[in-house]
Amino acid sequence: MRIICVAGARPNYMKVKPVMDALEAAGAEVVLVHTGQHYDAAMNDVFFTELGIRRPDHFLQVGSASQAVQTGRVMAAFEPLAAELRPDVVVVVGDVNSTLGCALVAAKSGALLAHVEAGLRSRDWDMPEEVNRVVTDRLSDYLFAPSADAVDNLRAEGYRPDQIHLAGNVMVDTLLANLDRALASDVLSRLGLSRGGYALVTLHRPANVDDPGALATLLSALDEVAQACPIVLPAHPRAAGQLRAHGLSQRVQVIAPAGYLDFVALQASARLVLTDSGGVQEETTVLGVPCLTLRDNTERPVTLTEGTNQLVGRDRERIVKTALSVLDAPPLRRCPALWDGRAGQRIAATLLSGGGAAGHPRPTDLSS
Ligand code: UDP
């Protein structure tokens, strides 16, 4: 069986690696296609090196662009490649523009399409990622859900039961496989931090970093939290310029984007994490570290009900008040079912057995 696995941006690499490994271990021919949505050393190369991902077989070089231009470039570059390779299955992960672009091409190419991380819904149509999730699921033959709430969403949208597979969380596979190496990182001493003595912050969602008013409110809240607990903030490239333009207190240490092992080490030893990242909500749950999500909604509600996450939105007082109370009384560690390090193996087993591959999706609400 020939299977194309697609990766394009930072949060894809840790999701695609366990699926590729499990497919290859079971004897499948895996072709790794890198779209080039992220391409520099800090957002790309470090992950290939640290996670031991082999060199991509094909590199599409789409680069940065607007939503439509980037998605269009992915499609235009992937279409001839899919025609040449004639894969049996195309595997896309997550919710970035590369996911959607390759899904659209695969669905028209005759290959079966598998979406890893299917069924997540923020129900916030202003998020580009939500559009990518919903449309990718609609195009997919195999829907690999990370958690029971995602299965419920897919059922409610009318997908056939044989398309939906509760596989667990592939990002957790990579976290657990690399945790010991991450804990050996010397990043804390390099940054002058002590275990349990700082808060870790990431910000990159357009609603937070592209709107100067929203960003100013968030940074003012972070400044106040930093008076109680110093902050380290690895800055995503899309936020770095805006962060530099604001005068942050010296207790907020802005650094370059961290490599994977350093970032996991920073999460594991943080007293508190404040973030708008999807993956970080999941990783903090598994690590048992308190997480405050700087958004009004999450597509990962299982981290609220069975993890360490709380939604705090963008209101300054609410962020500061909740942060101070969590610093005083952190939540207990809990872990959702099947976030056990074996999601990639379950996905490979389903794909290689051909289960649920009865053709393109016919949601029951449309076919009835
Ligand atoms: N991450 C990293 N370095 C950083 C910030 C995040 O290695 O400076 C990792 C993090 O551990 C997680 C992934 O990147 O595995 C999450 O990616 P991101 O927040 O960019 O995207 P999202 O999850 O919001 O789609």
Side-chain angles (χ1 to χ4, degrees), residues 10-11 14-15 38 43 47 95-96 129 171 202 204-205 234-236 256-261 263-264 267 275-280 283 300:
R10 178 169 74 183
M14 45 297 271
K15 295 173 191 172
H38 282 165
M43 297 298 285
F47 297 96
D95 56 20
V96 299
E129 296 89 345
M171 192 170 235
T202 76
H204 72 282
R205 296 258 99 81
H236 192 284
Y260 182 74
L261 297 175
F263 191 76
V264 170
Q267 287 185 89
T275 191
D276 58 12
S277 160
V280 173
E283 290 171 342
R300 291 161 162 92

Side-chain angles (χ1 to χ4, degrees), residues 264-281:
V264 170
L266 284 169
Q267 287 185 89
S269 292
R271 196 164 154 210
L272 173 65
V273 172
L274 299 106
T275 191
D276 58 12
S277 160
V280 173
Q281 295 172 57

Side-chain angles (χ1 to χ4, degrees), residues 215 219 233 235-237 239-248 254-257:
L215 184 63
L219 296 181
L233 194 168
H236 192 284
Q242 293 94 308
L243 289 171
R244 265 194 301 273
H246 282 79
L248 281 159
V254 178
I255 60 171

Side-chain angles (χ1 to χ4, degrees), residues 5-21 24 30-34 43-58 93 174 178 181 260:
C5 288
V6 175
R10 178 169 74 183
N12 288 169
Y13 309 137
M14 45 297 271
K15 295 173 191 172
V16 86
K17 162 80 171 157
V19 180
M20 285 178 62
D21 283 356
E24 285 180 339
V30 175
V31 181
L32 176 59
V33 173
H34 190 316
M43 297 298 285
N44 182 73
D45 304 2
V46 66
F47 297 96
F48 279 75
T49 309
E50 291 189 349
L51 299 178
I53 308 175
R54 62 179 162 77
R55 258 181 85 83
D57 300 294
H58 300 273
V93 299
T174 297
N178 290 284
R181 287 169 65 223
Y260 182 74

